[in-house]
Amino acid sequence: MAVRPAPARADASYEAFVQFFISAYDKGRDGNYSVAEINELVQQAVSAVNGAKSDVLVRLDRQLTSELRGKAEAAVTKVELLKVWWLAGPAIISTHDAAYSAKAHIGTVAGQDAELDAVGRAMIVLFAELNAAYIMVDAEEGTNSAAVQRPYLREGLEHLIREIQPECGRNTLPSAGYVSYVCTFNGRTVRAEYWSGSNSYRIDGGDAIPGQINEDLVQDLLMANTVLPNAERLLAELIRQGVGLP
């Protein structure tokens, strides 16, 4: 599926999870992780989860996502257990349940903008924590459980991206040489207006931009502070790594 490049304003706290999956792939490219590499990955995952968990839990504090919030809270509060090798296994139990619940919740909250954004963030956070835990267990037991989870993350990301799209509409007045393109998501609207006389358009009354309206730019500006740019970045990274679908 086509993946648009993420805008520069993508949420930095969730970009940390994209970087975690890049690091996990790069460090494990030879098929093995050294103890030092695992420790680095675990610290990276713990820092990322700790940096985002308050945001995730606040966003999940809604009626449609209350059940998932409890599972997510149980999982993210155990992230520090990953620093202790023999406690990674117990951490997997709650994190696995929460990650796959978040993935399933995408369908439950489809059409509910704020809830969909919250569930998408939770899914990314929880699958990263789950992968870090499985990387530790794999190194100890010679298994390959971390890699087994990534196709399901890819599947969840593709579902999320299909659902978390703005509502957009174009209006044309040929006699006036005027075109408008308006997009809305979660109560926020971005409007672009084109005038043929100047052959330029403005977004929300900003500076004139030469040429016809760039619809992708309008959508990117609207969705920049949602989970969508990070979901697209992470999906593109998983595809680059050769992760398939379940």
Side-chain angles (χ1 to χ4, degrees), residues 161-195:
I161 291 167
R162 286 195 302 271
E163 296 293 345
I164 192 167
Q165 295 295 327
E167 292 186 8
C168 298
R170 173 181 286 267
N171 182 43
T172 304
L173 297 174
S175 60
Y178 171 83
V179 177
S180 67
Y181 183 71
V182 181
C183 290
T184 301
F185 182 84
N186 194 23
R188 181 168 178 256
T189 297
V190 173
R191 172 187 295 272
E193 295 179 297
Y194 168 85
W195 296 94

Side-chain angles (χ1 to χ4, degrees), residues 1-18:
M1 65 184 295
V3 179
R4 291 179 299 166
R9 286 162 47 196
D11 194 325
S13 62
Y14 291 87
E15 171 67 18
F17 297 100
V18 179

Side-chain angles (χ1 to χ4, degrees), residues 85-107:
W85 281 74
W86 57 88
L87 294 179
I92 284 175
I93 298 172
S94 61
T95 308
H96 189 281
D97 183 34
Y100 282 87
S101 292
K103 178 177 178 289
H105 250 72
I106 292 170

Side-chain angles (χ1 to χ4, degrees), residues 5-51:
R9 286 162 47 196
D11 194 325
S13 62
Y14 291 87
E15 171 67 18
F17 297 100
V18 179
Q19 295 304 316
F20 165 77
F21 280 99
I22 292 174
S23 294
Y25 176 74
D26 289 344
K27 287 179 169 61
R29 193 177 306 206
D30 60 358
N32 294 288
Y33 293 103
S34 68
V35 172
E37 287 173 332
I38 291 174
N39 289 337
E40 288 174 13
L41 286 171
V42 167
Q43 186 55 55
Q44 193 173 357
V46 170
S47 296
V49 172
N50 283 336

Side-chain angles (χ1 to χ4, degrees), residues 80-213:
E80 296 289 341
L81 297 181
L82 299 184
K83 294 179 179 179
V84 183
W85 281 74
W86 57 88
L87 294 179
I92 284 175
I93 298 172
S94 61
T95 308
H96 189 281
D97 183 34
Y100 282 87
S101 292
K103 178 177 178 289
H105 250 72
I106 292 170
T108 303
V109 299
Q112 306 292 324
D113 292 350
E115 288 81 357
L116 192 56
D117 186 43
V119 169
R121 292 169 190 267
M123 181 180 69
I124 290 172
V125 170
L126 293 165
F127 265 95
E129 182 178 346
L130 183 63
N131 267 259
Y134 272 127
I135 285 172
M136 294 181 68
V137 172
D138 287 346
E140 185 74 15
E141 300 183 1
T143 52
N144 194 35
S145 298
V148 171
Q149 313 308 314
R150 291 172 197 143
Y152 294 94
L153 174 58
R154 174 180 169 175
E155 183 178 53
L157 290 168
E158 291 194 0
H159 188 189
L160 173 65
I161 291 167
R162 286 195 302 271
E163 296 293 345
I164 192 167
Q165 295 295 327
E167 292 186 8
C168 298
R170 173 181 286 267
N171 182 43
T172 304
L173 297 174
S175 60
Y178 171 83
V179 177
S180 67
Y181 183 71
V182 181
C183 290
T184 301
F185 182 84
N186 194 23
R188 181 168 178 256
T189 297
V190 173
R191 172 187 295 272
E193 295 179 297
Y194 168 85
W195 296 94
S196 61
S198 61
N199 188 31
S200 64
Y201 67 100
R202 297 176 186 269
I203 298 177
D204 286 343
D207 294 338
I209 303 172
Q212 301 282 328
I213 294 172

